[in-house]
Amino acid sequence: MNEMQKLKFYQKGTLTVGNRLVDEASRNVQASLDRSNSLTCGHRACQGCGEALGARYAIDAAMRASNRNLIAVNATGCLEVFTTPYPETSWQMPWMHSLFGNAAAVATGVAAAMRVTGKPATRVVAQGGDGGTTDIGFGCLSGMFERNDDVLYICYDNEGYMNTGVQRSSATPPTARTATTPPLGKETGNVFGTGKFVPKIAVAHEIPYVATASVADLHDLEAKITKAMSMHGARYIQINVPCPLGWGAASHDTIRLARLAIETGLFPIFEAEHGRITHVRKIRSQVPVVEYLKLQRRFAHLFKGGVEDPRVARMQAIADRHIAEYGLLEPVAGAA
Amino acid sequence: MKHPYAITLDVGTSRKNLTGSWRTLRPEYVDRLPPCNNACPAGEDIQGWLSHAESGGYEAAWRALTANNPLPAIMGRVCYHPCENACNRASIDETVGINSVERFLGDLAIEKGWQFALPATESGKKVLVVGAGPAGLSAAYHLRRLGHWVTLREAGPLAGGMMRFGIPKYRLPRNIIDAEVARITAMGVALELNSKVGDIEKAMVDGPFDAAFLAVGAHIAKRAYIPAAGAAKVLDAVQLLRSMEGEAPPLLGRKVVVYGGGNTAIDVARTARRLGAQEAIIVYRRTREKMPAHDFEVEEALEEGVSMKWLSTIKNIDGGTMQIEKMALDEKGFPQPTGEFETLEADSLVLALGQDVDLSLLNNVPGIVIENGVVKVGPDMMTGRAGVFAGGDMAPSERTVTVAVGHGKKAARFIDGYLRGQPYVPAPRHGLASFDRLNSWYYEDAPATVRPMLEAARRVQSFAEVQGGLDETNALYEARRCLSCGNCFECDNCYGVCPDNAVIKLGAGNRFRIDYDYCKGCGLCAAECPCGAIEMVAEAI
């Protein structure tokens, strides 16, 4: 068998959740019959919710990595609201909620409590949406990073305050329509040049581990959670989770949109250790941003009357900048 | 229990909240017909046997394959694989090498000596099969599997029909035919060689037989009237290829002209080269595009030094000189004479202009209808005479080994229904699994494996097999290139991508079930199913 054949040994199932040709132990957590289903049925997330999916992917993987010895601290946000309307819960694990902005600080406290009560094997994750992470909870998060507290913080990034009616957050992309950036006036939708990409800020804290991931690449996501759980100290993973309601997309397109976010270059997938980028997930087959934008009504004003707004080109420029900055494309053979 | 304001449930799990009530569309698992299976004239469940081969279960794969076709090692060499032409993988990279995996399984079965299972029960009915070509062998095999006693009568000295007396050795080595025929006779099929059936009615009474399947093939060469003078050496293709099985190879001379444009013409020209002819020239009245011969065979012939003369007809022959008239295609694509002539020198001329069927065994049989030189059969393969069925080249069809094998199987099933007094009703077909139903993202790029070919220079020196086979490692690789179009291959995608945990995994081999108590009908499972085995159906609201 030649090398090429070895690499592509499972042509039908290399990228799927499971694969009957792979032994049980090497399959994804999500393919196993006994996955913990930390976030179980009956939750009130919208149809096709990317965050519900991302949270189960991430927490199930963390559960396996910690031998199901895990406590989750949740910021306010969709994830908290749709899973725990009092008095019911969808969490099949120890889970607590305090305020919108303090999940990182509460998780720090839980981790300290575990340490002083002699339960070092009990691991702690904090989780929240982009609003609770990049805006409201950012001070607590930065503090947790600089103290190098033993917490894995997971941000489910759906690019806005979806729970309260789709308002802009500092993770909302330019031109996107939200309740606070309506498609009115000259500069319709969110403006260019604002917002922040927290993974880069996390890298700048030089904490042990930072990664981005996506619900469109389960293999990559589970590997990153598992790696993060094998380490101690402050760790941060931001997962791109499309929101059918807030983005104005079909519920069956959630994973397709997450995939397009990667393949356009708009959402770069990488990991970094102690302040240095160590790995980048390459684009498999590059697509123009138009294909991503057109599936979402939050960008519909860019294509009004069949005319493409010049700002589409600026969105493409953002994707191109990411591609150049992170080296998202495989080098072309023969190119200098 | 009375709940406080705004509270609807007791303390506890959200599993009490049956979110399935939100649904307007419901996902349903479906099985669709893969295009390969749809295209196979022998009705093979290609995807089914490939899925066994993918996990290295070669014997299970071979058994699944031979449930429809008892001749995989032969078919893996001579089938024109319409399955591959239909394969959806062509839209991703290249089609799956189904034919090469089939040959691998067929060869492995011969090597390992795998045998067919004997029928569990005997029906006590007797069936006469006339002609031991692919259609007759296939019918005999399937009838025997169904528990009937089969007598297989062959006019020739050996079984195989046109596979032996028409297809040259370099495409189909004779030990392969022998091995696959022996496996069928080992099931208890009584093979009677050198037994020409001259009168079917008499043979039925003498048996006595409860039914008969006729597959005598088309062995009479068509002739064209070419005025000949002098000592012109003119042969026909059937006669030539048949004589290749005898002891003394025919003498053709240094320069051979073959007249015709079908696969037989190609076979003759390539055989002539192997017999030592310096030049083998195919003369055909139309163009290469219009040639009925398969393109890859034309290509292989050209590699071996066969030359082609398009748009030409032979007007007359005088000794070693032929007069050729140039043709031109009219607007309808038919060749028309131009009045331009040229001469061609040759030692012999072989006519490969098609074959007719010897229908003499049907003389005086009431109810039989002959149309265009072949026997008319119904959709159940029965002729106008009750209990007498026919197939292969003597029935209206495309004349290939694969079609003949398919006829044999189909006829066997209808004969079985006829003998049991319960007419066979074919199962309804699933809808086609077309490429647009797949989510091709999940298929990794994997170019096809190319079968080794004997070098052209070495080919013309002997009748050694031209095309090589796969070995175990690359056969496994090739099998795994199958996309499993339209049928669940248990990739766990639906189980993984459901945001509501509403897909229940039933364990290896048992696929999945939707938990409609919680399924909100988002459609992610259907959208992310690689092979299109989930459909969204509107709920009755």
Side-chain angles (χ1 to χ4, degrees):
Chain A
M1 196 183 318
N2 64 37
E3 281 308 305
M4 185 273 298
Q5 293 189 356
K6 248 185 238 167
L7 284 171
K8 317 260 182 175
F9 202 54
Y10 302 110
Q11 306 85 337
K12 184 174 78 181
T14 320
L15 302 164
T16 51
V17 169
N19 184 340
R20 69 182 178 96
L21 302 172
V22 177
D23 64 286
E24 284 282 348
S26 333
R27 292 188 205 175
N28 280 320
V29 176
Q30 287 303 314
S32 73
L33 272 170
D34 61 348
R35 71 185 189 203
S36 49
N37 281 332
S38 315
L39 172 52
T40 193
C41 326
H43 62 70
R44 290 138 193 258
C46 306
Q47 293 164 318
C49 175
E51 188 171 31
L53 189 59
R56 196 188 70 227
Y57 282 0
I59 301 300
D60 279 3
M63 285 284 269
R64 184 195 263 188
S66 65
N67 294 317
R68 305 202 175 189
N69 194 352
L70 188 71
I71 297 176
V73 176
N74 215 125
T76 304
C78 269
L79 184 62
E80 170 257 330
V81 171
F82 75 68
T83 58
T84 54
Y86 178 81
E88 65 187 80
T89 180
S90 306
W91 295 99
Q92 309 199 90
M93 65 178 304
W95 179 92
M96 66 187 288
H97 166 242
S98 173
L99 299 174
F100 211 148
N102 67 354
V106 173
T108 295
V110 173
M114 290 304 115
R115 193 173 66 246
V116 299
T117 54
K119 293 172 189 148
T122 304
R123 307 299 303 274
V124 182
V125 294
Q127 52 182 354
D130 51 292
T133 305
T134 70
D135 295 347
I136 302 175
F138 187 66
C140 291
L141 182 70
S142 179
M144 185 202 105
F145 286 166
E146 68 90 10
R147 294 188 303 270
N148 198 25
D149 292 320
D150 189 15
V151 174
L152 166 61
Y153 193 105
I154 304 168
C155 170
Y156 304 106
D157 174 14
N158 59 16
E159 304 180 348
Y161 289 87
M162 302 317 188
N163 165 43
T164 49
V166 195
Q167 289 86 11
R168 176 199 174 276
S169 80
S170 60
T172 302
T175 76
R177 175 202 72 187
T178 68
T180 44
T181 57
L184 299 168
K186 261 190 176 169
E187 286 287 296
T188 55
N190 193 26
V191 294
F192 282 88
T194 60
K196 55 185 153 181
F197 188 49
V198 169
K200 270 178 109 168
I201 303 173
V203 172
H205 284 74
E206 302 193 352
I207 55 175
Y209 189 72
V210 176
T212 57
S214 165
V215 286
D217 192 340
L218 179 65
H219 293 259
D220 178 76
L221 187 155
E222 287 196 357
K224 283 171 173 167
I225 295 282
T226 307
K227 184 167 182 183
M229 290 299 290
S230 73
M231 304 164 100
H232 286 272
R235 289 143 291 148
Y236 179 77
I237 296 180
Q238 184 160 324
I239 304 175
N240 185 238
V241 290
C243 171
L245 177 78
W247 296 12
S251 60
H252 60 256
D253 276 341
T254 299
I255 292 178
R256 183 179 173 200
L257 283 169
R259 193 154 55 223
L260 287 168
I262 301 172
E263 297 299 292
T264 51
L266 283 173
F267 192 81
I269 303 279
F270 65 91
E271 59 185 341
E273 290 176 51
H274 301 287
R276 260 192 36 203
I277 290 183
T278 51
H279 179 260
V280 170
R281 181 204 181 281
K282 302 285 185 190
I283 287 172
R284 188 169 162 227
S285 89
Q286 196 187 359
V287 278
V289 295
V290 179
E291 285 187 37
Y292 172 73
L293 302 175
K294 274 198 165 169
L295 291 171
Q296 307 172 53
R297 284 198 306 281
R298 65 173 171 161
F299 297 115
H301 56 277
L302 299 178
F303 304 98
K304 234 177 172 173
V307 184
E308 193 177 294
D309 190 288
R311 284 174 297 167
V312 171
R314 291 185 70 184
M315 294 296 282
Q316 183 63 52
I318 291 175
D320 293 344
R321 209 183 64 223
H322 287 163
I323 289 169
E325 181 179 345
Y326 295 94
L328 298 176
L329 286 178
E330 293 283 359
V332 180
Chain B
M1 181 185 154
K2 192 180 180 320
H3 294 112
Y5 173 72
I7 302 295
T8 54
L9 296 172
D10 295 331
V11 174
T13 167
S14 64
R15 292 186 66 90
K16 290 232 175 105
N17 187 24
L18 302 184
T19 53
S21 62
W22 302 14
R23 194 174 56 238
T24 57
L25 292 171
R26 62 192 278 134
E28 284 182 2
Y29 289 99
V30 293
D31 284 291
R32 301 192 78 89
L33 180 64
C36 50
N37 293 10
N38 185 47
C40 180
E44 283 187 22
D45 177 12
I46 293 161
Q47 191 187 84
W49 57 257
L50 275 175
S51 85
H52 288 292
E54 273 164 43
S55 46
Y58 300 128
E59 182 166 356
W62 178 80
R63 298 216 173 268
L65 198 174
T66 53
N68 289 302
N69 168 16
L71 310 171
I74 293 174
M75 209 81 104
R77 289 174 166 81
V78 302
C79 180
Y80 294 114
H81 42 74
C83 51
E84 294 185 22
N85 300 341
C87 177
N88 277 335
R89 179 130 208 156
S91 304
I92 295 178
D93 39 41
E94 295 162 275
T95 65
V96 176
I98 297 165
N99 189 246
S100 53
V101 181
E102 180 169 38
R103 169 168 165 182
F104 166 75
L105 292 173
D107 287 355
L108 191 68
I110 294 172
E111 184 193 319
K112 303 263 184 196
W114 294 332
Q115 293 293 325
F116 295 131
L118 298 177
T121 53
E122 299 289 352
S123 71
K125 303 280 187 187
K126 290 172 73 184
V127 185
L128 173 66
V129 177
V130 184
L137 285 166
S138 165
Y141 162 79
H142 284 285
L143 287 164
R144 187 70 199 112
R145 260 170 81 95
L146 292 163
H148 307 300
W149 287 109
V150 181
T151 301
L152 178 55
R153 254 174 222 166
E154 166 60 42
L158 288 164
M162 272 301 183
M163 299 189 295
R164 186 185 297 273
F165 295 106
I167 298 176
K169 282 180 191 152
Y170 59 85
R171 282 179 57 204
L172 179 57
R174 300 307 185 235
N175 58 338
I176 300 295
I177 304 178
D178 295 340
E180 296 210 313
V181 170
R183 207 158 44 205
I184 293 172
T185 53
M187 294 171 81
V189 168
L191 174 62
E192 298 174 5
L193 298 170
N194 299 311
S195 313
K196 188 171 160 80
V197 175
D199 179 345
I200 185 64
E201 287 290 1
K202 185 172 180 301
M204 294 277 284
V205 173
D206 288 350
F209 293 103
D210 301 293
F213 177 66
L214 313 181
V216 299
H219 294 268
I220 305 171
K222 283 188 180 158
R223 305 293 297 217
Y225 176 69
I226 300 173
K233 188 173 174 72
V234 182
L235 302 90
D236 71 63
V238 178
Q239 184 191 344
L240 172 75
L241 292 172
R242 178 176 287 267
S243 70
M244 289 301 298
E245 293 305 300
E247 269 143 40
L251 299 170
L252 294 171
R254 290 168 56 84
K255 191 168 175 180
V256 180
V257 170
V258 184
Y259 195 25
N263 289 318
T264 308
I266 305 282
D267 285 344
V268 169
R270 294 175 71 182
T271 297
R273 285 284 286 142
R274 283 166 174 76
L275 287 173
Q278 296 295 310
E279 277 188 77
I281 304 159
I282 292 176
V283 174
Y284 180 53
R285 64 197 167 94
R286 297 195 286 180
T287 57
R288 175 163 178 180
E289 293 70 44
K290 300 270 179 190
M291 212 174 181
H294 289 89
D295 212 44
F296 75 92
E297 292 206 43
V298 177
E299 213 43 63
E300 287 177 16
L302 290 169
E303 283 166 18
E304 292 169 12
V306 171
S307 52
M308 313 271 174
K309 216 165 176 49
W310 313 114
L311 290 168
S312 305
T313 54
I314 300 174
K315 295 310 285 182
N316 59 60
I317 176 166
D318 184 357
T321 306
M322 279 166 235
Q323 196 174 31
I324 307 279
E325 180 170 12
K326 303 294 273 175
M327 308 295 276
L329 293 186
D330 62 17
E331 61 277 11
K332 284 180 186 158
F334 291 109
Q336 301 296 344
T338 59
E340 268 181 66
F341 292 90
E342 63 180 31
T343 56
L344 192 60
E345 300 291 329
D347 298 314
S348 54
L349 169 67
V350 185
L351 305 176
L353 302 165
Q355 286 112 255
D356 287 325
V357 184
D358 177 1
L359 292 165
S360 59
L361 83 168
L362 289 169
N363 287 346
N364 312 320
V365 178
I368 295 284
V369 181
I370 310 286
E371 271 178 11
N372 302 322
V374 290
V375 183
K376 197 173 165 190
V377 293
D380 57 357
M381 311 296 290
M382 186 144 66
T383 64
R385 152 77 158 87
V388 174
F389 298 72
D393 288 356
M394 71 182 288
S397 74
E398 199 193 334
R399 288 176 171 177
T400 68
V401 174
T402 320
V403 167
V405 167
H407 279 181
K409 175 178 99 168
K410 190 174 164 191
R413 292 188 175 169
F414 281 107
I415 292 169
D416 180 64
Y418 170 82
L419 293 174
R420 291 179 199 278
Q422 295 163 328
Y424 167 68
V425 182
R429 297 192 134 201
H430 293 296
L432 194 67
S434 48
F435 185 73
D436 58 312
R437 290 176 181 274
L438 310 182
N439 186 335
S440 60
W441 169 263
Y442 291 101
Y443 299 112
E444 195 69 85
D445 300 339
T449 315
V450 177
R451 281 192 264 194
M453 300 284 279
L454 202 63
E455 282 170 56
R458 288 184 52 207
R459 284 188 218 159
V460 293
Q461 291 165 6
S462 75
F463 282 84
E465 193 168 12
V466 168
Q467 191 168 43
L470 302 180
D471 61 24
E472 181 168 342
T473 50
N474 52 20
L476 188 70
Y477 166 88
E478 200 54 38
R480 287 177 175 183
R481 295 183 65 243
C482 170
L483 307 179
S484 192
C485 308
N487 297 286
C488 175
F489 62 97
E490 297 186 40
C491 72
D492 294 321
N493 256 19
C494 52
Y495 178 60
V497 302
C498 177
D500 293 287
N501 281 354
V503 175
I504 298 167
K505 180 169 173 166
L506 301 173
N510 298 315
R511 299 185 171 185
F512 306 87
R513 185 163 64 77
I514 304 286
D515 187 345
Y516 292 111
D517 281 349
Y518 299 106
C519 167
K520 293 170 185 164
C522 69
L524 267 177
C525 53
E528 300 302 320
C529 175
C531 65
I534 303 177
E535 261 174 23
M536 298 304 289
V537 182
E539 283 284 1
I541 301 168

mmCIF file of all heavy atoms in Angstrom, chain B residues 190-209:
data_model
loop_
_atom_site.group_PDB
_atom_site.id
_atom_site.type_symbol
_atom_site.label_atom_id
_atom_site.label_comp_id
_atom_site.label_asym_id
_atom_site.label_seq_id
_atom_site.Cartn_x
_atom_site.Cartn_y
_atom_site.Cartn_z
ATOM 1 N N ALA B 190 -26.697 -31.033 -13.713
ATOM 2 C CA ALA B 190 -26.195 -32.066 -14.618
ATOM 3 C C ALA B 190 -25.830 -31.441 -15.965
ATOM 4 O O ALA B 190 -26.709 -30.992 -16.703
ATOM 5 C CB ALA B 190 -27.251 -33.150 -14.802
ATOM 6 N N LEU B 191 -24.525 -31.352 -16.233
ATOM 7 C CA LEU B 191 -24.062 -30.742 -17.476
ATOM 8 C C LEU B 191 -23.844 -31.835 -18.520
ATOM 9 O O LEU B 191 -23.080 -32.781 -18.296
ATOM 10 C CB LEU B 191 -22.756 -29.985 -17.218
ATOM 11 C CG LEU B 191 -22.036 -29.387 -18.419
ATOM 12 C CD1 LEU B 191 -22.893 -28.330 -19.116
ATOM 13 C CD2 LEU B 191 -20.694 -28.782 -18.016
ATOM 14 N N GLU B 192 -24.546 -31.738 -19.656
ATOM 15 C CA GLU B 192 -24.394 -32.716 -20.736
ATOM 16 C C GLU B 192 -23.799 -32.021 -21.936
ATOM 17 O O GLU B 192 -24.440 -31.177 -22.555
ATOM 18 C CB GLU B 192 -25.767 -33.325 -21.088
ATOM 19 C CG GLU B 192 -26.374 -34.085 -19.919
ATOM 20 C CD GLU B 192 -27.795 -34.556 -20.212
ATOM 21 O OE1 GLU B 192 -28.276 -34.381 -21.350
ATOM 22 O OE2 GLU B 192 -28.423 -35.087 -19.278
ATOM 23 N N LEU B 193 -22.524 -32.374 -22.251
ATOM 24 C CA LEU B 193 -21.827 -31.726 -23.361
ATOM 25 C C LEU B 193 -22.093 -32.484 -24.667
ATOM 26 O O LEU B 193 -22.579 -33.609 -24.649
ATOM 27 C CB LEU B 193 -20.334 -31.681 -23.073
ATOM 28 C CG LEU B 193 -19.952 -30.859 -21.822
ATOM 29 C CD1 LEU B 193 -18.485 -31.064 -21.474
ATOM 30 C CD2 LEU B 193 -20.261 -29.373 -22.019
ATOM 31 N N ASN B 194 -21.768 -31.854 -25.780
ATOM 32 C CA ASN B 194 -21.969 -32.448 -27.111
ATOM 33 C C ASN B 194 -23.391 -32.970 -27.283
ATOM 34 O O ASN B 194 -23.618 -34.012 -27.879
ATOM 35 C CB ASN B 194 -20.968 -33.582 -27.345
ATOM 36 C CG ASN B 194 -19.536 -33.074 -27.295
ATOM 37 O OD1 ASN B 194 -19.207 -32.072 -27.945
ATOM 38 N ND2 ASN B 194 -18.705 -33.716 -26.509
ATOM 39 N N SER B 195 -24.359 -32.258 -26.673
ATOM 40 C CA SER B 195 -25.755 -32.712 -26.741
ATOM 41 C C SER B 195 -26.608 -31.605 -27.328
ATOM 42 O O SER B 195 -27.188 -30.815 -26.593
ATOM 43 C CB SER B 195 -26.289 -33.061 -25.351
ATOM 44 O OG SER B 195 -25.381 -33.847 -24.653
ATOM 45 N N LYS B 196 -26.631 -31.523 -28.620
ATOM 46 C CA LYS B 196 -27.433 -30.490 -29.269
ATOM 47 C C LYS B 196 -28.915 -30.864 -29.164
ATOM 48 O O LYS B 196 -29.295 -32.000 -29.396
ATOM 49 C CB LYS B 196 -27.026 -30.370 -30.733
ATOM 50 C CG LYS B 196 -27.672 -29.183 -31.444
ATOM 51 C CD LYS B 196 -27.045 -29.011 -32.832
ATOM 52 C CE LYS B 196 -27.913 -28.198 -33.770
ATOM 53 N NZ LYS B 196 -27.862 -26.787 -33.633
ATOM 54 N N VAL B 197 -29.721 -29.900 -28.743
ATOM 55 C CA VAL B 197 -31.165 -30.118 -28.687
ATOM 56 C C VAL B 197 -31.745 -29.686 -30.029
ATOM 57 O O VAL B 197 -31.693 -28.506 -30.381
ATOM 58 C CB VAL B 197 -31.808 -29.315 -27.528
ATOM 59 C CG1 VAL B 197 -33.324 -29.449 -27.555
ATOM 60 C CG2 VAL B 197 -31.252 -29.775 -26.189
ATOM 61 N N GLY B 198 -32.245 -30.666 -30.782
ATOM 62 C CA GLY B 198 -32.743 -30.370 -32.128
ATOM 63 C C GLY B 198 -34.220 -30.009 -32.134
ATOM 64 O O GLY B 198 -34.690 -29.266 -32.984
ATOM 65 N N ASP B 199 -34.942 -30.521 -31.151
ATOM 66 C CA ASP B 199 -36.395 -30.312 -31.114
ATOM 67 C C ASP B 199 -36.777 -30.157 -29.643
ATOM 68 O O ASP B 199 -36.762 -31.127 -28.877
ATOM 69 C CB ASP B 199 -37.087 -31.528 -31.750
ATOM 70 C CG ASP B 199 -38.610 -31.393 -31.715
ATOM 71 O OD1 ASP B 199 -39.119 -30.520 -30.972
ATOM 72 O OD2 ASP B 199 -39.273 -32.180 -32.428
ATOM 73 N N ILE B 200 -37.139 -28.991 -29.255
ATOM 74 C CA ILE B 200 -37.374 -28.710 -27.836
ATOM 75 C C ILE B 200 -38.610 -29.459 -27.314
ATOM 76 O O ILE B 200 -38.604 -29.969 -26.194
ATOM 77 C CB ILE B 200 -37.449 -27.186 -27.573
ATOM 78 C CG1 ILE B 200 -37.580 -26.899 -26.061
ATOM 79 C CG2 ILE B 200 -38.563 -26.505 -28.319
ATOM 80 C CD1 ILE B 200 -36.431 -27.321 -25.236
ATOM 81 N N GLU B 201 -39.648 -29.565 -28.172
ATOM 82 C CA GLU B 201 -40.867 -30.258 -27.719
ATOM 83 C C GLU B 201 -40.544 -31.722 -27.370
ATOM 84 O O GLU B 201 -40.952 -32.227 -26.333
ATOM 85 C CB GLU B 201 -41.951 -30.216 -28.809
ATOM 86 C CG GLU B 201 -42.600 -28.843 -28.997
ATOM 87 C CD GLU B 201 -43.499 -28.411 -27.834
ATOM 88 O OE1 GLU B 201 -43.630 -29.161 -26.845
ATOM 89 O OE2 GLU B 201 -44.053 -27.304 -27.904
ATOM 90 N N LYS B 202 -39.766 -32.332 -28.225
ATOM 91 C CA LYS B 202 -39.415 -33.737 -28.014
ATOM 92 C C LYS B 202 -38.554 -33.873 -26.754
ATOM 93 O O LYS B 202 -38.776 -34.769 -25.921
ATOM 94 C CB LYS B 202 -38.666 -34.263 -29.246
ATOM 95 C CG LYS B 202 -38.348 -35.743 -29.180
ATOM 96 C CD LYS B 202 -37.789 -36.219 -30.519
ATOM 97 C CE LYS B 202 -37.457 -37.716 -30.474
ATOM 98 N NZ LYS B 202 -36.480 -38.059 -29.443
ATOM 99 N N ALA B 203 -37.603 -32.967 -26.583
ATOM 100 C CA ALA B 203 -36.716 -33.022 -25.427
ATOM 101 C C ALA B 203 -37.496 -32.867 -24.128
ATOM 102 O O ALA B 203 -37.207 -33.534 -23.129
ATOM 103 C CB ALA B 203 -35.654 -31.919 -25.536
ATOM 104 N N MET B 204 -38.527 -32.004 -24.156
ATOM 105 C CA MET B 204 -39.356 -31.778 -22.963
ATOM 106 C C MET B 204 -40.115 -33.058 -22.585
ATOM 107 O O MET B 204 -40.244 -33.391 -21.414
ATOM 108 C CB MET B 204 -40.376 -30.658 -23.219
ATOM 109 C CG MET B 204 -39.768 -29.282 -23.421
ATOM 110 S SD MET B 204 -39.392 -28.450 -21.895
ATOM 111 C CE MET B 204 -41.005 -27.934 -21.350
ATOM 112 N N VAL B 205 -40.622 -33.737 -23.598
ATOM 113 C CA VAL B 205 -41.398 -34.956 -23.360
ATOM 114 C C VAL B 205 -40.464 -36.084 -22.899
ATOM 115 O O VAL B 205 -40.751 -36.795 -21.949
ATOM 116 C CB VAL B 205 -42.165 -35.368 -24.640
ATOM 117 C CG1 VAL B 205 -42.845 -36.721 -24.445
ATOM 118 C CG2 VAL B 205 -43.176 -34.290 -25.013
ATOM 119 N N ASP B 206 -39.297 -36.184 -23.564
ATOM 120 C CA ASP B 206 -38.363 -37.262 -23.244
ATOM 121 C C ASP B 206 -37.834 -37.156 -21.822
ATOM 122 O O ASP B 206 -37.526 -38.154 -21.192
ATOM 123 C CB ASP B 206 -37.171 -37.239 -24.220
ATOM 124 C CG ASP B 206 -37.591 -37.714 -25.612
ATOM 125 O OD1 ASP B 206 -38.725 -38.230 -25.721
ATOM 126 O OD2 ASP B 206 -36.798 -37.558 -26.556
ATOM 127 N N GLY B 207 -37.675 -35.918 -21.331
ATOM 128 C CA GLY B 207 -37.076 -35.676 -20.007
ATOM 129 C C GLY B 207 -37.648 -36.576 -18.930
ATOM 130 O O GLY B 207 -36.957 -37.484 -18.459
ATOM 131 N N PRO B 208 -38.914 -36.446 -18.544
ATOM 132 C CA PRO B 208 -39.700 -35.281 -18.912
ATOM 133 C C PRO B 208 -39.309 -34.068 -18.055
ATOM 134 O O PRO B 208 -38.868 -34.246 -16.931
ATOM 135 C CB PRO B 208 -41.139 -35.728 -18.595
ATOM 136 C CG PRO B 208 -40.976 -36.688 -17.466
ATOM 137 C CD PRO B 208 -39.622 -37.334 -17.609
ATOM 138 N N PHE B 209 -39.487 -32.879 -18.622
ATOM 139 C CA PHE B 209 -39.137 -31.657 -17.903
ATOM 140 C C PHE B 209 -40.387 -30.813 -17.653
ATOM 141 O O PHE B 209 -41.296 -30.785 -18.485
ATOM 142 C CB PHE B 209 -38.112 -30.844 -18.704
ATOM 143 C CG PHE B 209 -36.770 -31.518 -18.812
ATOM 144 C CD1 PHE B 209 -36.389 -32.157 -19.985
ATOM 145 C CD2 PHE B 209 -35.901 -31.528 -17.729
ATOM 146 C CE1 PHE B 209 -35.152 -32.789 -20.084
ATOM 147 C CE2 PHE B 209 -34.658 -32.167 -17.820
ATOM 148 C CZ PHE B 209 -34.282 -32.790 -18.998
#
